[in-house]
Amino acid sequence: MATERGLFNAVGEDPELTTSNVVVGRTSLSRLNWRLVIALLLGAVLWIGPYIGSIGILLPALLQEIAPDDKVALVGAVGVIGAVLALVANIVFGALSDVTRSRMGRRGPWILGGAVVGAVALFGMSTTMSVPLVFAWWCLYILGLNAIVASMVAVISDRVSVKYRGTVSAVYGVGFIVGSALSQIVGASFLENASAGLILFALCTLASGVQFILIAPEGSNRGEAGERLTARRVLASFALPRRGARDFYLALAGKFLLQAGGYAITNYQLYILTDYIGLDASAAGGIISIAAVITLVTGLVFGVGSGPLSDRLGRRKPFVIASALLIAIGAVFPAVAPFAWGYILFAVCSGIGNGVFSSVDQALNIEVLPDKENAAKDLGLLNVANTGGQIIGPVVTSFLVVATGGYQASFAAAGVLLVGAALCFVPIRKVR
């Protein structure tokens, strides 16, 4: 068959084309696929934005309206329930996408399907004033979201060579930064109309999947050999790696603790600004917007350069260690200075730290995988660290606020978690 060079630099039907032990079928990895880069950037912006804007701003605002006396406990509870569900969903959807054979490839059906389900769930949540229904719609949203996340992250392993992974990871991380910051600005502007904000986020979630399929379609893989989808195969997706997995678990623990430390603060930013610092809703919205702009600018400046720099230096560890420590330093400011400027300084440190971490994180994750043939499954396990952090962070804050009657202890706890994250990254051996 003649070699065809088109959108994906196809190189015939050679199923043995590999790079760094990753089988990629017809996709050439000899150069950077800019359409894939654009799709990953937009995909990250459009799925992380609605999530951060909802869990950090609009969901607390909605629960404050529905049940003001129980809002702190409810935010913690909805975060825990959703995150526990995500622990399972991320692994299962990652494993299912590994064995999927379709005209849209392995990942495409799950990215698009997850976007549709997530959009429907956010729209449904915008229509209710019932706490049980808020929980139900949030759980459905988490299912759809994790179908997107597990599959989109695996695309980097499938279709990007080691040579470019730091750069592509940086682009994906920049998407996180932009989406997170813009979602907070948008969410803050809808504090008094959370339902309208949720509808907007539903449309963004839908767009995350649609644009990916249109800009960087994977192509059919129906002719590829692969495992049959069986109950045993799904159960096997929960099997933890055992051989050569030391660094894998260190990376997982570090990521888990870093996310827990961050979410211990950001999930409660609205209540920190109103109940701890003493601002009214309008002023709190203004500070959230300012902090989001700062996070966006600092994250972009430091995030854009960190991935390519890590490629050039051949190092990942110094970047993730420094990012965890910097966010920990940031947590000190609102703890000792319960003023708006204290929270702004936290935003500066968090923006820089998360910018660096997001740009290098996926490259480090891929390079500590013990088995490249089960990339999506094992990346799903690493992504469990994100959802696991979302469990611990809100629970720690909720417990400490109830136990102490304030937020200062939660800042100290966040700092301890973040320092612990840095200590987990230090002993990793596979990655410098």
mmCIF file of all heavy atoms in Angstrom, residues 356-394:
data_model
loop_
_atom_site.group_PDB
_atom_site.id
_atom_site.type_symbol
_atom_site.label_atom_id
_atom_site.label_comp_id
_atom_site.label_asym_id
_atom_site.label_seq_id
_atom_site.Cartn_x
_atom_site.Cartn_y
_atom_site.Cartn_z
ATOM 1 N N VAL A 356 3.892 25.755 36.784
ATOM 2 C CA VAL A 356 5.057 24.885 36.599
ATOM 3 C C VAL A 356 4.644 23.417 36.681
ATOM 4 O O VAL A 356 5.012 22.592 35.836
ATOM 5 C CB VAL A 356 6.142 25.200 37.643
ATOM 6 C CG1 VAL A 356 7.282 24.192 37.565
ATOM 7 C CG2 VAL A 356 6.675 26.620 37.450
ATOM 8 N N PHE A 357 3.858 23.081 37.696
ATOM 9 C CA PHE A 357 3.464 21.685 37.892
ATOM 10 C C PHE A 357 2.627 21.167 36.724
ATOM 11 O O PHE A 357 2.873 20.068 36.205
ATOM 12 C CB PHE A 357 2.682 21.540 39.194
ATOM 13 C CG PHE A 357 2.278 20.119 39.497
ATOM 14 C CD1 PHE A 357 3.207 19.224 40.013
ATOM 15 C CD2 PHE A 357 0.995 19.677 39.261
ATOM 16 C CE1 PHE A 357 2.860 17.910 40.278
ATOM 17 C CE2 PHE A 357 0.628 18.366 39.522
ATOM 18 C CZ PHE A 357 1.564 17.480 40.030
ATOM 19 N N SER A 358 1.649 21.945 36.291
ATOM 20 C CA SER A 358 0.767 21.500 35.224
ATOM 21 C C SER A 358 1.518 21.277 33.920
ATOM 22 O O SER A 358 1.152 20.403 33.131
ATOM 23 C CB SER A 358 -0.356 22.528 35.003
ATOM 24 O OG SER A 358 -1.178 22.624 36.139
ATOM 25 N N SER A 359 2.561 22.058 33.689
ATOM 26 C CA SER A 359 3.281 21.949 32.423
ATOM 27 C C SER A 359 4.204 20.736 32.374
ATOM 28 O O SER A 359 4.582 20.281 31.291
ATOM 29 C CB SER A 359 4.092 23.220 32.158
ATOM 30 O OG SER A 359 5.165 23.331 33.065
ATOM 31 N N VAL A 360 4.580 20.194 33.531
ATOM 32 C CA VAL A 360 5.541 19.090 33.562
ATOM 33 C C VAL A 360 4.893 17.793 34.045
ATOM 34 O O VAL A 360 5.370 16.696 33.755
ATOM 35 C CB VAL A 360 6.737 19.456 34.471
ATOM 36 C CG1 VAL A 360 7.743 18.314 34.572
ATOM 37 C CG2 VAL A 360 7.432 20.709 33.956
ATOM 38 N N ASP A 361 3.784 17.899 34.732
ATOM 39 C CA ASP A 361 3.159 16.769 35.409
ATOM 40 C C ASP A 361 2.882 15.592 34.484
ATOM 41 O O ASP A 361 3.250 14.456 34.778
ATOM 42 C CB ASP A 361 1.861 17.245 36.075
ATOM 43 C CG ASP A 361 1.062 16.111 36.683
ATOM 44 O OD1 ASP A 361 1.671 15.303 37.404
ATOM 45 O OD2 ASP A 361 -0.153 16.038 36.438
ATOM 46 N N GLN A 362 2.213 15.837 33.339
ATOM 47 C CA GLN A 362 1.847 14.728 32.468
ATOM 48 C C GLN A 362 3.074 14.047 31.873
ATOM 49 O O GLN A 362 3.087 12.830 31.684
ATOM 50 C CB GLN A 362 0.906 15.210 31.357
ATOM 51 C CG GLN A 362 -0.491 15.581 31.835
ATOM 52 C CD GLN A 362 -1.196 14.449 32.563
ATOM 53 O OE1 GLN A 362 -0.926 13.270 32.337
ATOM 54 N NE2 GLN A 362 -2.099 14.792 33.461
ATOM 55 N N ALA A 363 4.108 14.823 31.565
ATOM 56 C CA ALA A 363 5.337 14.215 31.052
ATOM 57 C C ALA A 363 5.951 13.285 32.097
ATOM 58 O O ALA A 363 6.384 12.169 31.785
ATOM 59 C CB ALA A 363 6.335 15.302 30.659
ATOM 60 N N LEU A 364 5.993 13.725 33.350
ATOM 61 C CA LEU A 364 6.524 12.881 34.422
ATOM 62 C C LEU A 364 5.663 11.633 34.592
ATOM 63 O O LEU A 364 6.187 10.518 34.732
ATOM 64 C CB LEU A 364 6.587 13.679 35.726
ATOM 65 C CG LEU A 364 7.184 12.946 36.939
ATOM 66 C CD1 LEU A 364 7.997 13.896 37.797
ATOM 67 C CD2 LEU A 364 6.098 12.293 37.792
ATOM 68 N N ASN A 365 4.344 11.805 34.572
ATOM 69 C CA ASN A 365 3.439 10.662 34.743
ATOM 70 C C ASN A 365 3.689 9.587 33.695
ATOM 71 O O ASN A 365 3.768 8.391 34.001
ATOM 72 C CB ASN A 365 1.987 11.125 34.657
ATOM 73 C CG ASN A 365 1.552 11.926 35.850
ATOM 74 O OD1 ASN A 365 2.217 11.941 36.885
ATOM 75 N ND2 ASN A 365 0.437 12.622 35.730
ATOM 76 N N ILE A 366 3.789 10.008 32.435
ATOM 77 C CA ILE A 366 3.977 9.052 31.346
ATOM 78 C C ILE A 366 5.311 8.327 31.488
ATOM 79 O O ILE A 366 5.420 7.130 31.210
ATOM 80 C CB ILE A 366 3.863 9.776 29.985
ATOM 81 C CG1 ILE A 366 2.403 10.212 29.760
ATOM 82 C CG2 ILE A 366 4.323 8.881 28.839
ATOM 83 C CD1 ILE A 366 2.219 11.165 28.600
ATOM 84 N N GLU A 367 6.326 9.035 31.946
ATOM 85 C CA GLU A 367 7.663 8.449 32.006
ATOM 86 C C GLU A 367 7.877 7.529 33.203
ATOM 87 O O GLU A 367 8.885 6.821 33.262
ATOM 88 C CB GLU A 367 8.711 9.565 31.965
ATOM 89 C CG GLU A 367 8.764 10.211 30.585
ATOM 90 C CD GLU A 367 9.544 11.504 30.550
ATOM 91 O OE1 GLU A 367 10.345 11.749 31.478
ATOM 92 O OE2 GLU A 367 9.344 12.270 29.594
ATOM 93 N N VAL A 368 6.948 7.513 34.162
ATOM 94 C CA VAL A 368 7.064 6.553 35.272
ATOM 95 C C VAL A 368 6.101 5.376 35.106
ATOM 96 O O VAL A 368 6.017 4.524 35.984
ATOM 97 C CB VAL A 368 6.818 7.226 36.650
ATOM 98 C CG1 VAL A 368 7.858 8.300 36.915
ATOM 99 C CG2 VAL A 368 5.397 7.785 36.765
ATOM 100 N N LEU A 369 5.399 5.310 33.964
ATOM 101 C CA LEU A 369 4.470 4.202 33.755
ATOM 102 C C LEU A 369 5.224 2.875 33.738
ATOM 103 O O LEU A 369 6.215 2.722 33.020
ATOM 104 C CB LEU A 369 3.723 4.368 32.435
ATOM 105 C CG LEU A 369 2.693 5.499 32.358
ATOM 106 C CD1 LEU A 369 2.098 5.558 30.966
ATOM 107 C CD2 LEU A 369 1.610 5.329 33.402
ATOM 108 N N PRO A 370 4.760 1.871 34.491
ATOM 109 C CA PRO A 370 5.443 0.580 34.491
ATOM 110 C C PRO A 370 5.138 -0.260 33.257
ATOM 111 O O PRO A 370 5.881 -1.184 32.926
ATOM 112 C CB PRO A 370 4.909 -0.102 35.763
ATOM 113 C CG PRO A 370 3.588 0.547 36.016
ATOM 114 C CD PRO A 370 3.698 1.958 35.506
ATOM 115 N N ASP A 371 4.018 0.016 32.563
ATOM 116 C CA ASP A 371 3.614 -0.790 31.412
ATOM 117 C C ASP A 371 2.972 0.112 30.374
ATOM 118 O O ASP A 371 1.825 0.531 30.530
ATOM 119 C CB ASP A 371 2.634 -1.882 31.849
ATOM 120 C CG ASP A 371 2.186 -2.770 30.695
ATOM 121 O OD1 ASP A 371 2.714 -2.600 29.575
ATOM 122 O OD2 ASP A 371 1.312 -3.621 30.919
ATOM 123 N N LYS A 372 3.692 0.408 29.296
ATOM 124 C CA LYS A 372 3.185 1.322 28.275
ATOM 125 C C LYS A 372 1.979 0.759 27.533
ATOM 126 O O LYS A 372 1.194 1.504 26.958
ATOM 127 C CB LYS A 372 4.282 1.646 27.252
ATOM 128 C CG LYS A 372 5.567 2.202 27.861
ATOM 129 C CD LYS A 372 5.373 3.587 28.407
ATOM 130 C CE LYS A 372 6.705 4.156 28.890
ATOM 131 N NZ LYS A 372 6.593 5.485 29.459
ATOM 132 N N GLU A 373 1.826 -0.580 27.518
ATOM 133 C CA GLU A 373 0.719 -1.168 26.789
ATOM 134 C C GLU A 373 -0.617 -0.922 27.482
ATOM 135 O O GLU A 373 -1.668 -1.071 26.877
ATOM 136 C CB GLU A 373 0.934 -2.680 26.633
ATOM 137 C CG GLU A 373 2.135 -3.045 25.768
ATOM 138 C CD GLU A 373 2.016 -2.505 24.355
ATOM 139 O OE1 GLU A 373 0.899 -2.527 23.824
ATOM 140 O OE2 GLU A 373 3.021 -2.037 23.805
ATOM 141 N N ASN A 374 -0.592 -0.589 28.750
ATOM 142 C CA ASN A 374 -1.815 -0.260 29.497
ATOM 143 C C ASN A 374 -1.751 1.195 29.953
ATOM 144 O O ASN A 374 -2.070 1.517 31.094
ATOM 145 C CB ASN A 374 -1.968 -1.192 30.709
ATOM 146 C CG ASN A 374 -2.239 -2.619 30.291
ATOM 147 O OD1 ASN A 374 -3.215 -2.892 29.605
ATOM 148 N ND2 ASN A 374 -1.375 -3.536 30.686
ATOM 149 N N ALA A 375 -1.351 2.057 29.018
ATOM 150 C CA ALA A 375 -1.103 3.455 29.372
ATOM 151 C C ALA A 375 -2.327 4.123 29.965
ATOM 152 O O ALA A 375 -2.250 4.790 31.004
ATOM 153 C CB ALA A 375 -0.629 4.221 28.135
ATOM 154 N N ALA A 376 -3.489 3.982 29.309
ATOM 155 C CA ALA A 376 -4.684 4.688 29.792
ATOM 156 C C ALA A 376 -5.102 4.188 31.162
ATOM 157 O O ALA A 376 -5.504 4.966 32.026
ATOM 158 C CB ALA A 376 -5.832 4.545 28.796
ATOM 159 N N LYS A 377 -5.012 2.866 31.365
ATOM 160 C CA LYS A 377 -5.390 2.317 32.665
ATOM 161 C C LYS A 377 -4.511 2.863 33.771
ATOM 162 O O LYS A 377 -4.986 3.332 34.803
ATOM 163 C CB LYS A 377 -5.297 0.789 32.645
ATOM 164 C CG LYS A 377 -5.820 0.139 33.910
ATOM 165 C CD LYS A 377 -5.264 -1.244 34.117
ATOM 166 C CE LYS A 377 -3.885 -1.187 34.731
ATOM 167 N NZ LYS A 377 -3.382 -2.500 35.187
ATOM 168 N N ASP A 378 -3.180 2.825 33.548
ATOM 169 C CA ASP A 378 -2.261 3.272 34.593
ATOM 170 C C ASP A 378 -2.262 4.791 34.745
ATOM 171 O O ASP A 378 -2.103 5.313 35.855
ATOM 172 C CB ASP A 378 -0.851 2.764 34.303
ATOM 173 C CG ASP A 378 -0.740 1.252 34.476
ATOM 174 O OD1 ASP A 378 -1.611 0.681 35.146
ATOM 175 O OD2 ASP A 378 0.206 0.659 33.934
ATOM 176 N N LEU A 379 -2.465 5.511 33.640
ATOM 177 C CA LEU A 379 -2.635 6.960 33.766
ATOM 178 C C LEU A 379 -3.916 7.271 34.528
ATOM 179 O O LEU A 379 -3.998 8.268 35.247
ATOM 180 C CB LEU A 379 -2.665 7.617 32.381
ATOM 181 C CG LEU A 379 -1.304 7.757 31.689
ATOM 182 C CD1 LEU A 379 -1.483 8.188 30.242
ATOM 183 C CD2 LEU A 379 -0.417 8.748 32.433
ATOM 184 N N GLY A 380 -4.918 6.414 34.352
ATOM 185 C CA GLY A 380 -6.144 6.576 35.132
ATOM 186 C C GLY A 380 -5.878 6.436 36.618
ATOM 187 O O GLY A 380 -6.426 7.180 37.433
ATOM 188 N N LEU A 381 -4.998 5.485 36.974
ATOM 189 C CA LEU A 381 -4.629 5.339 38.380
ATOM 190 C C LEU A 381 -3.914 6.587 38.884
ATOM 191 O O LEU A 381 -4.150 7.039 40.005
ATOM 192 C CB LEU A 381 -3.740 4.112 38.565
ATOM 193 C CG LEU A 381 -4.420 2.747 38.413
ATOM 194 C CD1 LEU A 381 -3.381 1.644 38.398
ATOM 195 C CD2 LEU A 381 -5.426 2.523 39.533
ATOM 196 N N LEU A 382 -3.025 7.148 38.047
ATOM 197 C CA LEU A 382 -2.349 8.383 38.448
ATOM 198 C C LEU A 382 -3.333 9.539 38.555
ATOM 199 O O LEU A 382 -3.216 10.397 39.434
ATOM 200 C CB LEU A 382 -1.237 8.721 37.455
ATOM 201 C CG LEU A 382 0.067 7.939 37.625
ATOM 202 C CD1 LEU A 382 0.985 8.168 36.437
ATOM 203 C CD2 LEU A 382 0.772 8.331 38.915
ATOM 204 N N ASN A 383 -4.308 9.559 37.659
ATOM 205 C CA ASN A 383 -5.308 10.622 37.733
ATOM 206 C C ASN A 383 -6.212 10.477 38.954
ATOM 207 O O ASN A 383 -6.890 11.435 39.352
ATOM 208 C CB ASN A 383 -6.152 10.639 36.457
ATOM 209 C CG ASN A 383 -5.385 11.208 35.288
ATOM 210 O OD1 ASN A 383 -4.532 12.066 35.459
ATOM 211 N ND2 ASN A 383 -5.660 10.718 34.092
ATOM 212 N N VAL A 384 -6.221 9.270 39.525
ATOM 213 C CA VAL A 384 -6.928 9.074 40.793
ATOM 214 C C VAL A 384 -6.377 10.016 41.855
ATOM 215 O O VAL A 384 -7.085 10.433 42.774
ATOM 216 C CB VAL A 384 -6.815 7.601 41.238
ATOM 217 C CG1 VAL A 384 -7.137 7.437 42.710
ATOM 218 C CG2 VAL A 384 -7.750 6.733 40.414
ATOM 219 N N ALA A 385 -5.094 10.357 41.719
ATOM 220 C CA ALA A 385 -4.494 11.291 42.674
ATOM 221 C C ALA A 385 -5.227 12.621 42.668
ATOM 222 O O ALA A 385 -5.365 13.269 43.711
ATOM 223 C CB ALA A 385 -3.017 11.500 42.342
ATOM 224 N N ASN A 386 -5.676 13.056 41.495
ATOM 225 C CA ASN A 386 -6.440 14.303 41.423
ATOM 226 C C ASN A 386 -7.734 14.189 42.215
ATOM 227 O O ASN A 386 -8.059 15.043 43.045
ATOM 228 C CB ASN A 386 -6.760 14.647 39.968
ATOM 229 C CG ASN A 386 -5.548 15.120 39.211
ATOM 230 O OD1 ASN A 386 -4.692 15.804 39.752
ATOM 231 N ND2 ASN A 386 -5.461 14.761 37.949
ATOM 232 N N THR A 387 -8.487 13.116 41.921
ATOM 233 C CA THR A 387 -9.764 12.961 42.606
ATOM 234 C C THR A 387 -9.572 12.603 44.071
ATOM 235 O O THR A 387 -10.354 13.013 44.926
ATOM 236 C CB THR A 387 -10.605 11.889 41.899
ATOM 237 O OG1 THR A 387 -9.819 10.712 41.730
ATOM 238 C CG2 THR A 387 -11.047 12.366 40.530
ATOM 239 N N GLY A 388 -8.511 11.822 44.362
ATOM 240 C CA GLY A 388 -8.229 11.523 45.761
ATOM 241 C C GLY A 388 -7.896 12.782 46.538
ATOM 242 O O GLY A 388 -8.306 12.956 47.692
ATOM 243 N N GLY A 389 -7.152 13.674 45.898
ATOM 244 C CA GLY A 389 -6.865 14.963 46.529
ATOM 245 C C GLY A 389 -8.111 15.776 46.775
ATOM 246 O O GLY A 389 -8.231 16.482 47.779
ATOM 247 N N GLN A 390 -9.055 15.652 45.858
ATOM 248 C CA GLN A 390 -10.317 16.364 46.033
ATOM 249 C C GLN A 390 -11.121 15.800 47.201
ATOM 250 O O GLN A 390 -11.950 16.504 47.777
ATOM 251 C CB GLN A 390 -11.130 16.275 44.742
ATOM 252 C CG GLN A 390 -10.488 16.997 43.571
ATOM 253 C CD GLN A 390 -11.073 16.556 42.253
ATOM 254 O OE1 GLN A 390 -12.255 16.272 42.155
ATOM 255 N NE2 GLN A 390 -10.244 16.492 41.225
ATOM 256 N N ILE A 391 -10.892 14.542 47.517
ATOM 257 C CA ILE A 391 -11.561 13.958 48.688
ATOM 258 C C ILE A 391 -10.938 14.505 49.965
ATOM 259 O O ILE A 391 -11.618 15.017 50.856
ATOM 260 C CB ILE A 391 -11.436 12.420 48.680
ATOM 261 C CG1 ILE A 391 -12.222 11.829 47.513
ATOM 262 C CG2 ILE A 391 -11.920 11.825 49.991
ATOM 263 C CD1 ILE A 391 -12.029 10.334 47.359
ATOM 264 N N ILE A 392 -9.618 14.389 50.053
ATOM 265 C CA ILE A 392 -8.927 14.737 51.291
ATOM 266 C C ILE A 392 -8.979 16.232 51.569
ATOM 267 O O ILE A 392 -9.235 16.653 52.704
ATOM 268 C CB ILE A 392 -7.462 14.263 51.232
ATOM 269 C CG1 ILE A 392 -7.414 12.730 51.179
ATOM 270 C CG2 ILE A 392 -6.665 14.779 52.425
ATOM 271 C CD1 ILE A 392 -8.023 12.058 52.387
ATOM 272 N N GLY A 393 -8.725 17.055 50.531
ATOM 273 C CA GLY A 393 -8.688 18.503 50.741
ATOM 274 C C GLY A 393 -9.935 19.064 51.387
ATOM 275 O O GLY A 393 -9.878 19.662 52.470
ATOM 276 N N PRO A 394 -11.111 18.886 50.760
ATOM 277 C CA PRO A 394 -12.342 19.405 51.363
ATOM 278 C C PRO A 394 -12.668 18.776 52.713
ATOM 279 O O PRO A 394 -13.181 19.456 53.605
ATOM 280 C CB PRO A 394 -13.413 19.054 50.323
ATOM 281 C CG PRO A 394 -12.679 18.949 49.043
ATOM 282 C CD PRO A 394 -11.332 18.377 49.401
#
